C-alpha cells in the first residue's frame, strides 16, 4: 500500500515538473500586436444615419434593380442582395441604415439578413464618404513598388490621414488589401476606377485634376497598354494565324 502511494506521489511530482518545464519552453509565433478592425459592427443612430431618413430607388436605379432581380427565381430573389446594396450605395453615396432597411423591404426579407451582409463586406461604406473615395492598396506587391510613398503623398497633399475625409467632403482616404492589379502596382481605386503605375508626381496631378473637375484617364498613368510589359511585348508579337493553320489539306 505504501509503495502504491509513493508511486502515485512520484507520478504527480513528475507531472508537475513536466508542466512547469513545458510552460517555460512555450514560445509565441508572433510578437506583434493584433490589429483590430477600425469599423464598428453595430448601429448607433446619428443625425445623418438613422431610420427616419427616407431612402428609395430613383427611377434609373429602380429600372436597374428590376433587371437584377429578374436574373433570379422568385423564391431566391434574396440572392440579389449584394448587387442591390451596391446599386443603392452608388445612388446614395454610402450604405446607411435606411438603405439597408429599404433593401430588406424590397427583397421581402428580415432587415437582419441585410445587416449581416452589409457589416461583413468592407465594400459597403456604413458611414458617409467623400465624393472621391480613394482606396490605396498596400499589400506586398504594391508595398514593394512604393505604395507607402503614395499614401504619404496623398496625406500630405490633402491634409488628411488614413480613414479621414477632407473638410470639403471631396476626398476620403482608406487603405485596402490587394486591389488585384499587382502587375500595375502601385494602384489607387477612385470610386469604381483604377489608376495604376502611380508615382508621387502622378498622384498629385490626379488629385488636382479630380478636385478641379477635369477629365481623368483611368488605367496605367505610365502610358503602357493595360498590363503589357513596360518595355514592350516579348511574345505574341505577330498577328495570330487563321483557321486551318498547320492542318492537312485532306482533312
Amino acid at each position: 500500500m505504501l509503495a502504491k502511494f509513493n508511486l502515485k506521489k512520484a507520478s504527480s511530482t513528475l507531472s508537475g515538473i513536466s508542466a512547469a518545464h513545458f510552460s517555460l519552453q512555450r514560445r509565441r509565433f508572433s510578437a506583434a500586436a493584433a490589429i483590430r478592425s477600425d469599423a464598428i459592427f453595430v448601429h448607433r443612430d446619428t443625425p445623418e444615419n438613422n431610420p427616419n431618413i427616407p431612402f428609395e430607388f430613383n427611377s434609373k436605379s429602380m429600372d436597374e434593380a428590376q433587371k437584377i432581380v429578374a436574373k433570379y427565381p422568385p423564391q431566391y430573389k434574396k440572392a440579389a442582395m449584394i448587387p442591390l446594396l451596391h446599386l443603392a450605395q452608388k445612388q446614395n453615396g454610402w450604405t446607411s441604415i435606411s438603405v439597408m432597411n429599404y433593401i430588406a423591404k424590397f427583397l421581402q426579407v428580415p432587415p437582419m439578413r441585410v445587416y449581416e451582409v452589409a457589416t461583413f463586406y468592407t465594400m459597403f461604406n456604413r458611414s458617409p464618404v467623400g465624393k472621391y473615395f480613394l482606396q490605396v492598396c498596400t499589400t506586398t506587391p504594391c508595398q514593394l513598388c512604393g505604395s507607402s510613398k503614395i499614401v504619404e503623398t496623398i496625406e500630405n497633399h490633402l491634409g488628411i490621414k488614413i480613414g479621414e475625409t477632407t473638410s470639403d467632403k471631396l476626398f476620403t482616404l482608406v487603405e485596402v488589401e490587394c486591389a488585384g492589379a499587382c502587375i500595375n502596382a502601385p494602384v489607387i481605386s477612385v470610386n469604381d476606377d483604377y489608376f495604376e503605375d502611380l508615382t508621387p508626381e502622378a498622384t498629385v496631378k490626379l488629385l488636382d485634376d479630380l478636385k478641379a473637375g477635369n477629365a481623368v484617364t483611368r488605367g496605367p498613368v505610365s502610358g503602357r497598354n493595360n498590363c503589357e510589359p513596360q518595355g514592350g511585348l516579348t511574345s505574341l508579337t505577330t498577328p495570330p494565324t487563321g483557321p486551318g493553320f498547320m492542318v492537312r489539306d485532306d482533312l
Side-chain angles (χ1 to χ4, degrees):
M1 189 72 178
L2 182 61
K4 186 177 181 181
F5 172 78
N6 289 341
L7 182 62
K8 290 175 65 178
K9 184 176 180 181
S11 176
S12 176
T13 301
L14 288 172
S15 297
I17 293 173
S18 297
H21 173 74
F22 284 116
S23 65
L24 289 174
Q25 294 298 314
R26 186 172 55 196
R27 296 286 189 274
R28 293 184 180 275
F29 285 109
S30 173
I35 300 177
R36 302 187 183 279
S37 172
D38 59 356
I40 185 170
F41 294 98
V42 296
H43 173 74
R44 296 286 184 264
D45 282 351
T46 61
E48 69 274 0
N49 189 13
N50 64 78
N52 296 322
I53 300 175
F55 173 83
E56 61 180 17
F57 282 139
N58 56 31
S59 57
K60 182 180 178 181
S61 295
M62 180 60 77
D63 290 342
E64 186 64 28
Q66 296 294 354
K67 292 177 183 177
I68 292 172
V69 173
K71 297 177 181 179
Y72 303 90
Q75 68 272 30
Y76 296 120
K77 63 182 179 181
K78 64 182 179 180
M81 188 179 299
I82 289 179
L84 288 179
L85 277 170
H86 181 71
L87 179 65
Q89 177 171 274
K90 197 168 185 179
Q91 175 184 317
N92 192 54
W94 57 291
T95 304
S96 65
I97 189 70
S98 298
V99 165
M100 290 184 267
N101 290 341
Y102 178 79
I103 296 300
K105 185 178 179 181
F106 190 88
L107 292 176
Q108 297 178 310
V109 298
M112 180 54 68
R113 294 292 174 259
V114 183
Y115 303 161
E116 290 168 343
V117 172
T119 56
F120 181 82
Y121 292 102
T122 57
M123 70 180 184
F124 297 120
N125 303 311
R126 292 176 47 243
S127 56
V129 297
K131 179 180 179 180
Y132 300 111
F133 188 47
L134 310 177
Q135 301 178 78
V136 186
C137 178
T138 57
T139 312
T140 306
C142 280
Q143 190 79 25
L144 293 173
C145 292
S147 63
S148 296
K149 280 290 185 183
I150 303 302
V151 172
E152 182 181 343
T153 298
I154 296 173
E155 290 181 338
N156 292 338
H157 192 66
L158 297 180
I160 57 175
K161 296 293 185 182
I162 292 287
E164 296 180 349
T165 301
T166 55
S167 57
D168 57 9
K169 308 300 181 185
L170 273 182
F171 298 97
T172 295
L173 175 63
V174 297
E175 183 181 16
V176 295
E177 297 299 321
C178 196
C182 306
I183 197 168
N184 294 91
V187 58
I188 295 177
S189 172
V190 181
N191 299 340
D192 293 331
D193 296 325
Y194 275 22
F195 296 87
E196 305 155 334
D197 294 339
L198 291 168
T199 62
E201 296 76 20
T203 302
V204 169
K205 184 180 184 306
L206 172 64
L207 297 175
D208 288 343
D209 284 341
L210 290 171
K211 189 171 185 177
N214 298 332
V216 293
T217 302
R218 62 188 178 184
V221 300
S222 60
R224 65 169 161 168
N225 183 31
N226 296 324
C227 56
E228 290 182 354
Q230 288 276 21
L233 292 176
T234 57
S235 61
L236 303 177
T237 56
T238 58
T241 56
F245 177 69
M246 294 190 70
V247 176
R248 284 166 44 192
D249 295 334
D250 58 336
L251 294 179

